[in-house]
Amino acid sequence: MKVRDEVGTMAKYIFVTGGVISSLGKGIASASIGKILESRGLKITLMKLDPYINVDPGTMNPYQHGEVYVTEDGAETDLDLGHYERFTNTHTSKFNNITTGQIYNCVITKERHGDYLGKTIQVIPHITDAIKDKIKECAKVSKADIVIIEVGGTVGDIESLPFLEAARQFRLDMGYDNVLYIHLTLVPYIKAAGEIKTKPTQHSVGTLREIGIIPDVLICRTEKPLNESVKDKISLFCNVKKEAVIESPDVDSIYQIPLVFKKQILDEIILSHFKLICKFSDLKDWEKNVVSRVLNPKSRVTIAVVGKYIELQDAYKSIYEALVHSGIANDTKVEVKKIDSETIQKYGAEKFLKDVSGILVPGGFGYRGIEGKIKAIGFARQNKIPFLGLCLGMQCAVIEFSRNVCGLKDANSTEFKPKTKYPVISLLVEQKKIKDLGGTMRLGAYPCKIKNNTLASKTYGRNFIQERHRHRYEFNNQYRKIFERKGMVFSGVYPKKNLVEIVELKNHPYFIAVQFHPEFKSKPDKAHPLFREFIKAALVTRKE
């Protein structure tokens, strides 16, 4: 048996697969597994293997893919990496999200270079070897004790087969004790029959076994508790130990899931398989400081999120979670009122925003709904409603201020109106030369210097920060003097190129907008200061 001091000589690998249907929550399950193992003193990292042929989700429609999560090193990745960073202390990077497009691009590039010495390039072994190499590379770069690999898609999908075959081979390569397979599946309750049905799980596991993967642990998503006879049946027909049939019921908060897994000793099952002995952890701090505050808040406040992709929950996933985190920090339930910016553009702001205690305008691309965002920001400014603008939300705040305070009536961004008379938002010279859309924006962490005696410095408590970006257009510095004369404060700047990062207004309860995406660095036990103070201000001025 290995004790903690010896862990790290060889990484252990956990593959998490899904069956029956999509959207069962593999990402949250993987992050929760990471949380309970990390609490035992292990260093973990998590990977997402995505079966689509896109190189990354950067050019994909938010309605199809949801949020694009940006890492510190500027990788545009799957939104599940957000769950990984929120639940654990892992720092994800370009090594933590692999797509089919990346794998094929890598193999084809090597073939063109002649690295295969004339061999016929095939899915097995060349594609599967490339996948395994990426997983090992992530383990090496992260220096993790345990690498948790979430395989995107559903078992049976053609697109996922190369990843699943690579996962199958991994146990042969690394040894039985160093690889664990966890399968997430659905155990539905049929209301008309009043019964829980195990057949979908049996079929899903059967399909996985046909591929050559025998799961060691089953996580069963269910809306009804699984009684002992149901667990016995699943264990028998799926050839999994009964104690390794883990129940994952519907919960009020995703942050309860680590506690649910911990109660069923999932961490002990995993450590036993890997023959590891680690320190004890009961997750009491997580239960007290996160879960209890989420479930039993002392106050409540309503915040309007005025966006372009409101219909899809996952399009603003990190923003919604950051609002939850700020609620935890303020012992408050944050009620989110989702408002499509096009409706404000059509019917005006007052009808939708008169009863909210704070207004948040998130990022996005393209002209649709922009005028609605601008109207919402004007309403927040004029009516002293706490306001937080993110990325495009900052650019819209600049446009609104230039039109209605600076008197630049035709002011706009050259993204929306290339020949605008007052291009207060525009491309940098180097950006004008770029033709490709994918991976060509200002991406990842950039430094920002904050002015003393500003709302930003008070909020952050320091004068130098690093935040993550994902945008192409910038504030046009030609207009800084007129803005400052009219009362706008440029409180944060990227010093290397003198680019505006933070704007704010004086004589307002809370009006601040940033060019970056602070939501990516918020955690349930450490809310981002911009969100935390936004909710604090909303509580002071709330209308409920």
Side-chain angles (χ1 to χ4, degrees):
M1 299 285 281
K2 290 184 179 179
V3 295
R4 176 65 188 92
D5 302 38
E6 299 172 27
V7 175
T9 55
M10 177 184 284
K12 313 292 184 182
Y13 300 87
I14 299 173
F15 288 90
V16 180
T17 57
V20 185
I21 59 172
S22 59
S23 301
L24 285 179
K26 289 196 303 295
I28 293 171
S30 299
S32 297
I33 293 166
K35 178 66 183 178
I36 61 174
L37 293 176
E38 191 176 72
S39 74
R40 301 296 298 267
L42 292 162
K43 183 176 182 182
I44 63 100
T45 193
L46 298 101
M47 290 186 73
K48 176 70 181 290
L49 308 183
D50 273 311
Y52 50 74
I53 300 176
N54 304 65
V55 171
D56 59 45
T59 59
M60 295 170 70
N61 190 317
Y63 286 114
Q64 284 197 355
H65 185 269
E67 169 186 87
V68 175
Y69 188 81
V70 179
T71 60
E72 286 284 296
D73 63 347
E76 294 176 284
T77 70
D78 185 79
L79 62 85
D80 279 323
L81 272 71
H83 293 310
Y84 305 162
E85 289 201 349
R86 285 189 285 272
F87 276 74
T88 72
N89 292 317
T90 192
H91 297 288
T92 60
S93 70
K94 63 183 180 181
F95 298 103
N96 295 80
N97 191 196
I98 307 303
T99 71
T100 295
Q102 290 176 22
I103 295 296
Y104 274 85
N105 186 48
C106 175
V107 171
I108 290 169
T109 300
K110 289 172 71 176
E111 185 274 330
R112 292 288 84 191
H113 192 256
D115 293 359
Y116 294 112
L117 301 176
K119 293 179 181 177
T120 302
I121 310 306
Q122 297 175 289
V123 173
I124 302 171
H126 301 102
I127 296 299
T128 50
D129 281 353
I131 294 168
K132 291 188 291 182
D133 287 344
K134 291 289 187 182
I135 295 171
K136 292 172 186 175
E137 185 178 27
C138 181
K140 182 179 179 180
V141 169
S142 66
K143 299 179 181 179
D145 301 317
I146 295 182
V147 184
I148 302 169
I149 305 108
E150 177 192 349
V151 182
T154 306
V155 170
D157 293 347
I158 292 173
E159 295 89 345
S160 300
L161 286 176
F163 288 129
L164 293 170
E165 172 59 20
R168 182 193 70 80
Q169 293 177 19
F170 227 81
R171 179 169 272 177
L172 296 175
D173 296 346
M174 308 303 291
Y176 180 85
D177 293 345
N178 296 318
V179 178
L180 179 81
Y181 299 116
I182 296 178
H183 189 55
L184 182 67
T185 182
L186 178 68
V187 182
Y189 172 73
I190 308 302
K191 189 174 181 180
E195 294 180 352
I196 291 172
K197 294 295 182 181
T198 65
K199 194 65 72 176
T201 293
Q202 293 177 45
H203 282 300
S204 181
V205 172
T207 302
L208 193 61
R209 289 166 66 91
E210 287 174 8
I211 294 168
I213 296 175
I214 301 173
D216 303 292
V217 176
L218 288 179
I219 296 179
C220 301
R221 288 285 287 109
T222 175
E223 60 178 296
K224 295 285 185 179
L226 304 182
N227 58 41
E228 293 303 309
S229 64
V230 170
K231 288 187 176 182
D232 285 334
K233 190 174 182 180
I234 292 172
S235 172
L236 177 64
F237 286 102
C238 296
N239 198 30
V240 174
K241 293 179 181 178
K242 184 178 177 181
E243 61 266 27
V245 178
I246 305 298
E247 188 177 321
S248 183
D250 294 343
V251 290
D252 294 322
S253 168
I254 58 173
Y255 299 117
Q256 293 174 262
I257 299 297
L259 300 178
V260 171
F261 288 171
K262 177 68 180 176
K263 188 176 181 180
Q264 297 174 80
I265 62 168
L266 178 55
D267 52 339
E268 291 293 348
I269 292 168
I270 294 170
L271 294 176
S272 176
H273 176 89
F274 289 142
K275 295 183 170 57
L276 298 175
I277 298 174
C278 299
K279 71 173 188 179
F280 176 75
S281 169
D282 56 14
L283 289 178
K284 287 295 184 185
D285 287 345
W286 183 264
E287 185 174 14
K288 177 184 176 182
N289 298 326
V290 175
V291 176
S292 292
R293 284 184 162 225
V294 169
L295 300 181
N296 304 294
K298 292 181 179 178
S299 304
R300 65 180 295 277
V301 68
T302 301
I303 301 296
V305 175
V306 182
K308 299 172 61 171
Y309 316 114
I310 288 298
E311 296 93 332
L312 184 68
Q313 170 75 12
D314 284 348
Y316 298 122
K317 190 66 177 177
S318 290
I319 289 173
Y320 295 144
E321 291 306 313
L323 288 170
V324 172
H325 305 163
S326 59
I328 293 171
N330 287 285
D331 210 353
T332 296
K333 169 71 173 177
V334 178
E335 300 278 0
V336 176
K337 184 177 181 181
K338 302 174 185 178
I339 304 173
D340 191 317
S341 57
E342 285 188 286
T343 61
I344 290 181
Q345 185 170 326
K346 188 175 181 180
Y347 300 108
E350 185 171 3
K351 178 180 179 181
F352 302 96
L353 300 175
K354 61 182 178 181
D355 296 324
V356 303
S357 299
I359 297 171
L360 187 153
V361 175
F365 296 90
Y367 185 62
R368 182 180 62 82
I370 291 300
E371 295 300 326
K373 289 188 174 188
I374 292 169
K375 285 183 179 180
I377 294 166
F379 188 83
R381 179 179 60 80
Q382 293 168 341
N383 292 278
K384 307 294 185 184
I385 299 172
F387 166 74
L388 177 60
L390 311 177
C391 196
L392 181 60
M394 187 207 90
Q395 296 177 4
C396 289
V398 165
I399 295 169
E400 192 280 329
F401 192 84
S402 60
R403 290 179 185 176
N404 300 317
V405 179
C406 298
L408 308 176
K409 297 301 180 184
D410 189 46
N412 216 320
S413 166
T414 55
E415 179 184 4
F416 313 133
K417 192 174 181 181
K419 296 187 182 299
T420 176
K421 186 177 180 181
Y422 303 109
V424 292
I425 303 292
S426 62
L427 286 174
L428 297 178
V429 174
E430 56 264 38
Q431 283 285 351
K432 292 179 182 179
K433 301 174 184 177
I434 294 172
K435 302 298 181 184
D436 293 339
L437 294 180
T440 58
M441 294 179 279
R442 189 146 71 101
L443 290 164
Y446 282 80
C448 174
K449 187 176 182 181
I450 299 177
K451 284 184 180 179
N452 288 324
N453 303 315
T454 59
L455 176 59
S457 65
K458 179 183 176 183
T459 298
Y460 277 98
R462 57 186 190 274
N463 295 103
F464 189 84
I465 60 170
Q466 286 223 125
E467 293 282 7
R468 300 180 197 179
H469 291 248
R470 184 177 182 253
H471 65 99
R472 186 170 282 109
Y473 290 78
E474 306 281 354
F475 177 81
N476 188 340
N477 280 326
Q478 293 179 20
Y479 294 91
R480 280 177 74 163
K481 287 185 178 180
I482 185 173
F483 273 71
E484 288 175 330
R485 285 201 304 269
K486 292 293 185 177
M488 180 167 277
V489 178
F490 297 98
S491 54
V493 172
Y494 170 37
K496 185 176 180 180
K497 292 193 174 183
N498 195 29
L499 299 176
V500 172
E501 300 280 52
I502 308 174
V503 301
E504 59 185 68
L505 295 180
K506 296 178 180 179
N507 304 316
H508 193 286
Y510 191 90
F511 191 105
I512 191 165
V514 298
Q515 184 60 82
F516 44 81
H517 289 270
E519 68 270 22
F520 292 150
K521 298 182 80 167
S522 185
K523 291 176 178 284
D525 49 358
K526 191 177 181 182
H528 192 285
L530 286 173
F531 281 85
R532 183 193 66 223
E533 297 305 305
F534 173 51
I535 296 304
K536 185 182 289 185
L539 281 167
V540 172
T541 61
R542 64 178 170 172
K543 299 180 180 181
E544 289 92 339

